[in-house]
Amino acid sequence: MQLHFSPSMRSITISSSNGFVDLMKIKVAARHISYRTLFHTILILAFLLPFVFILTAVVTLEGVNKCSSFVSDCLGRRFGPRILGRVDHSGRLVRDFQKILNEVKSADIPDNLKLPDSFDQLVLEIQNNQYDARTFALKLRAMMEKFEREIKESKFAELMNKHFAASSVPKGIHCLSLRLTDEYSSNAHARKQLPSPELLPLLTDNSYHHFVLSTDNILAASVVVASTVQSSLRPEKVVFHVITDKKTYAGMHSWFALNSVSPAIVEVKGIHQFDWLTRENVPVLEALESHSSIRNYYHGNHIAGANLSSTTPRTFASKLQARSPKYISLLNHLRIYLPERDLSPLWEIDLGGKVNGAVETCKGEDNWVMSKRFKNYFNFSHPLIAENLDPEECAWAYGMNIFDLRAWRQTGIREAYHAWLKENLKSNLTMWKLGTLPPALIAFRGHVHPIDPSWHLLGLGYQIKTDIENVKKAAVIHYNGQLKPWLHIGFEHLRPFWTKYVNYSNDFIRNCHILE
């Protein structure tokens, strides 16, 4: 950069050797300028010109020909809006990128497109390969879709593992059954009559409160009985009728023979001990257990044939829960034969002439647990279902019910239950897939009296958002679902409501390593 003074000192010429600023001439008024003023002017110019040169070079490198105006646009980018009216181009960049994203949204992703494994690797590839914006957007979309698939597959795998865990028998509970069965064969006290002979008349005494418990889980039965006795105001008026299958009978009898529930009364029966429960009386249940299609449905590969790409994890979880093998257990169907036993009404609740007191499951704040209607259980594309049922009819819970057995005996509920089971078998299970609830929903239509939901709180086996205060207030809490409290997969915050009724000091409990 050079400064040239004219001989008359009337002008100063500034030129640069690189040609960016070819010529700047400053005219000096002879009569009004002093050497001192001129000296200060030269100092100011000497200070400003290097910055002008650097700015000019940067603009040139960015493409000065693209600027509409050197001062207002190109220089404005550097000095900002307060000095030269700088324009913010971030909005335009976002719009341009949105346009590119929309273009690649429907574009086909090449099969041989190599995807980076992480965002850092993607940035490194961009630096090394200098991708254009479209290539970057396409790779970004492919990466996101890949990660979404992997997350979904992982969720489905987790649900399947939970299903297998819930369907299996834990080692501790299996051990408990085996040890108690062995005790039954070797210990006379484990085989003593339940209840004692002098208490037998109370099994049919209508002034007592009779509880029927149908299960093959000895630990669960012990908790239900213990919690009921401890919570009852008059436990001496409580009678338990525990019904189990043939393989569990000896162990179940041993437990209650060796662990008194006094002052309550307990009776233990095996299905094989009911003379009225024969193949001739219940052929449809035998058919259900042996039907190959049913066994494949409940015990087969639950992923085979499922369109996981169009299925949400929540829907898949519901389907897995519906395919629990317990739904084809005879113990689950046994409730339909309660009138065969001479039992009294269980509660003083006025059922208004109805047979079944149950909590409705279509009303409540919980949109998952309490949102069940007939359309959730039946296939309304089947003509027989569509003709006879209303899809919006409210369903009810079949886990804790109050039955008026006198009123029940005056109905054809059991016959209707059998008839619809046969129809579903004829249709190759196309009318419904679940086990005992759907035929019960049909058979009890018109015979159900809604009771307050606080009597029976549902969903503790699959609803993580269960309100603890509601659990504390409920009369009966139901761990329906896969995450049972005796399994490691059960919800930790709901487990204490179960564990406080387990006798961990019992020798059989300790020896089978059932830990608190």
Side-chain angles (χ1 to χ4, degrees), residues 95-131:
R95 289 192 296 272
D96 290 344
F97 193 60
Q98 286 176 342
K99 183 179 178 181
I100 295 171
L101 290 176
N102 287 328
E103 289 176 0
V104 303
K105 184 167 63 175
S106 57
D108 293 332
I109 298 176
D111 295 334
N112 60 349
L113 184 65
K114 185 178 180 181
L115 298 178
D117 295 324
S118 65
F119 182 77
D120 289 341
Q121 189 177 340
L122 175 64
V123 173
L124 187 62
E125 285 189 11
I126 293 173
Q127 293 173 349
N128 294 338
N129 301 321
Q130 296 185 352
Y131 293 145

Side-chain angles (χ1 to χ4, degrees), residues 24-209:
M24 292 184 67
K25 184 177 287 187
I26 302 174
K27 291 186 178 181
V28 182
R31 295 180 181 178
H32 303 286
I33 190 168
S34 65
Y35 285 103
R36 186 175 182 178
T37 303
L38 178 62
F39 177 73
H40 290 161
T41 302
I42 293 172
L43 285 178
I44 293 172
L45 289 172
F47 177 77
L48 290 177
L49 284 175
F51 291 97
V52 174
F53 170 76
I54 294 171
L55 181 59
T56 305
V58 171
V59 171
T60 303
L61 290 173
E62 289 186 348
V64 70
N65 58 327
K66 295 182 180 179
C67 302
S68 58
S69 160
F70 180 81
V71 175
S72 64
D73 192 0
C74 293
L75 294 184
R77 295 179 189 176
R78 303 301 162 194
F79 287 102
R82 293 188 179 181
I83 300 176
L84 296 172
R86 178 182 176 185
V87 178
D88 185 1
H89 294 280
S90 60
R92 188 175 67 187
L93 290 174
V94 171
R95 289 192 296 272
D96 290 344
F97 193 60
Q98 286 176 342
K99 183 179 178 181
I100 295 171
L101 290 176
N102 287 328
E103 289 176 0
V104 303
K105 184 167 63 175
S106 57
D108 293 332
I109 298 176
D111 295 334
N112 60 349
L113 184 65
K114 185 178 180 181
L115 298 178
D117 295 324
S118 65
F119 182 77
D120 289 341
Q121 189 177 340
L122 175 64
V123 173
L124 187 62
E125 285 189 11
I126 293 173
Q127 293 173 349
N128 294 338
N129 301 321
Q130 296 185 352
Y131 293 145
D132 57 29
R134 190 180 188 282
T135 304
F136 166 75
L138 191 65
K139 284 217 169 191
L140 190 62
R141 174 197 156 196
M143 285 179 64
M144 293 185 67
E145 291 181 356
K146 174 190 173 186
F147 293 150
E148 286 174 358
R149 286 194 303 271
E150 290 176 350
I151 291 171
K152 195 172 184 180
E153 289 170 0
S154 175
K155 185 64 178 177
F156 284 136
E158 177 192 354
L159 292 171
M160 280 301 302
N161 290 335
K162 283 184 178 179
H163 176 72
F164 292 139
S167 302
S168 62
V169 179
K171 286 175 59 178
I173 292 180
H174 182 62
C175 165
L176 186 64
S177 180
L178 291 178
R179 285 180 176 266
L180 287 167
T181 299
D182 181 65
E183 194 73 12
Y184 184 84
S185 63
S186 60
N187 185 348
H189 291 290
R191 297 192 301 272
K192 72 179 182 182
Q193 184 175 348
L194 290 177
S196 56
E198 66 272 16
L199 297 178
L200 285 176
L202 300 182
L203 296 180
T204 55
D205 190 330
N206 290 343
S207 66
Y208 282 70
H209 295 152

Side-chain angles (χ1 to χ4, degrees), residues 452-467:
D452 192 279
S454 63
W455 281 108
H456 184 193
L457 183 63
L458 301 158
L460 275 69
Y462 62 87
Q463 176 57 287
I464 192 172
K465 297 180 181 178
T466 302
D467 191 313

Side-chain angles (χ1 to χ4, degrees), residues 233-252:
L233 293 177
R234 299 187 63 191
E236 70 279 1
K237 299 294 290 184
V238 172
V239 178
F240 293 99
H241 305 269
V242 180
I243 304 173
T244 190
D245 57 18
K246 187 174 183 178
K247 64 177 173 49
T248 315
Y249 169 74
M252 189 76 76

